[in-house]
Amino acid sequence: MKHGSAAAKVEVTPRPKLRGKSAIVTGSTSGIGLAIARAFAAQGMNVLINGLGDQTQVKRTRTAIEKEFGVNTGYSGADMSKADEIAAMVERAHSMFQKVDVLVNNAGIQHVAPIETFPAEKWDAIIAVNLSAAFHAMRAVVPEMKKRRWGRIINIASAHALVASPFKSAYVASKHGILGLTRVVALETAEHGITVNAICPGYVLTPLVEKQIPETAKARGISEEEVVRDVLLHAQPTHQFVTAEQIGALAVFLCGDSGAQITGAAIPIEGGWTAQ
Ligand code: NAD
């Protein structure tokens, strides 16, 4: 073919559109999970909402998403600390949407206390919700994703998957753990059109962080204002909170075709925290 010929054709790989894909976002009745669910819905994706909370509020959230973006939503009240309820949530998504294209393991809890007084039942709960839940959900969605040769799994880890802070033994252990789990499942699924990544946010002003401000003040013996200025925002060189919407946009990017070669990655979105 002559150089510059009008007949020259560029091979373009068709872009898989996200419209019509379906996602489970755990812990999406609040905070980061809700922002991710909304960001997916804005792309035309159907979303199964999960999380605790007042049922009237959950209904309101779903109606708002459906009206604003013209997608279908479902809801599962599955408790992420219970393996059988996680399996039922995945089954529910399969029966509602016929497939689960995207799984976001986002539900998470926190407790701040020194190791010697850290309640053992808080340790168990944090490991169950922040780490074991992702194991149970991934093992339930991966077989179908493999059959369809397409899937996106996003684990909402934390900057605390990469670095530690005092008084957060269970949380930091769970987040380091989920990064290891992310890498393992990414390797196991890499040849099946599935990507598995960990988003590692810095501080986002959600109910989870609002609750730990007084706990951290107590553990460190400082005021709540000092916690925000000298602990939370001090960790981030930008001295600004990350927004839940910024994390939603990153999740959308990972689901799109541009994210197809990103797998097994820990992606920081933390104002430069872990660059220090
Ligand atoms: P949030 O408290 O606003 O939301 C947590 C969500 O998880 C809620 O929907 C809640 O109902 C749900 N949840 C809690 N326990 C559950 C259970 N047993 N079963 C089912 N759902 C349950 O918190 P967030 O800040 O939006 O946190 C979301 C994720 O982001 C967590 O994994 C958290 O560790 C991570 N994260 C948050 C920050 C931050 O600064 N906010 C930073 C890094 C990582």
Side-chain angles (χ1 to χ4, degrees):
M1 190 182 298
K2 271 194 225 153
H3 178 70
S5 156
K9 281 202 181 122
V10 179
E11 284 297 320
V12 177
T13 314
R15 286 172 178 226
K17 297 269 181 297
L18 294 178
R19 176 163 299 283
K21 294 216 180 282
S22 46
I24 297 175
V25 184
T26 72
S28 48
T29 53
S30 166
I32 294 169
L34 178 54
I36 293 173
R38 288 181 54 81
F40 283 172
Q43 299 295 316
M45 293 166 68
N46 301 317
V47 190
L48 187 87
I49 304 285
N50 157 260
L52 313 175
D54 170 53
Q55 289 310 296
T56 317
Q57 184 55 43
V58 171
K59 182 89 195 94
R60 235 182 265 137
T61 300
R62 287 182 57 193
T63 308
I65 291 175
E66 289 179 354
K67 275 199 179 152
E68 196 172 341
F69 304 113
V71 298
N72 295 322
T73 69
Y75 172 70
S76 161
D79 181 340
M80 289 300 108
S81 65
K82 302 203 163 82
D84 55 336
E85 295 191 21
I86 295 168
M89 172 187 73
V90 172
E91 263 176 41
R92 188 179 173 81
H94 273 129
S95 66
M96 275 200 78
F97 304 133
Q98 283 71 57
K99 60 197 170 75
V100 177
D101 300 295
V102 177
L103 167 68
V104 181
N105 290 303
N106 165 80
I109 51 175
Q110 170 67 290
H111 186 77
V112 180
I115 186 76
E116 59 272 32
T117 55
F118 205 96
E121 63 277 12
K122 292 277 185 199
W123 168 273
D124 290 342
I126 289 171
I127 298 298
V129 175
N130 294 14
L131 177 57
S132 302
F135 161 78
H136 295 300
M138 286 196 282
R139 75 190 285 277
V141 300
V142 160
E144 282 292 317
M145 285 181 174
K146 276 188 174 175
K147 272 190 208 150
R148 284 182 287 102
R149 300 204 56 79
W150 201 94
R152 295 286 189 267
I153 298 175
I154 299 171
N155 295 323
I156 303 302
S158 169
H160 281 122
L162 304 165
V163 293
S165 295
F167 312 121
K168 295 184 177 177
S169 50
Y171 188 83
V172 171
S174 73
K175 296 301 185 178
H176 275 60
I178 202 167
L179 178 52
L181 180 61
T182 300
R183 289 172 169 154
V184 170
V185 184
L187 295 178
E188 290 183 16
T189 58
E191 293 179 350
H192 299 269
I194 302 167
T195 69
V196 189
N197 291 291
I199 292 182
C200 300
Y203 287 108
V204 185
L205 204 51
T206 64
L208 179 135
V209 165
E210 282 161 4
K211 181 175 164 283
Q212 69 181 273
I213 292 172
E215 287 176 4
T216 305
K218 191 170 161 219
R220 290 184 181 241
I222 57 178
S223 72
E224 294 189 17
E225 292 70 31
E226 285 169 321
V227 170
V228 173
R229 190 190 63 226
D230 300 338
V231 180
L232 306 187
L233 294 183
H234 180 72
Q236 304 190 174
T238 57
H239 303 305
Q240 289 175 27
F241 283 106
V242 180
T243 69
E245 289 69 25
Q246 288 163 344
I247 298 170
L250 179 53
V252 167
F253 178 83
L254 289 174
C255 292
D257 206 30
S258 306
Q261 289 302 319
I262 303 175
T263 196
I267 304 166
I269 171 167
E270 33 63 312
W273 178 347
T274 61
Q276 299 170 99

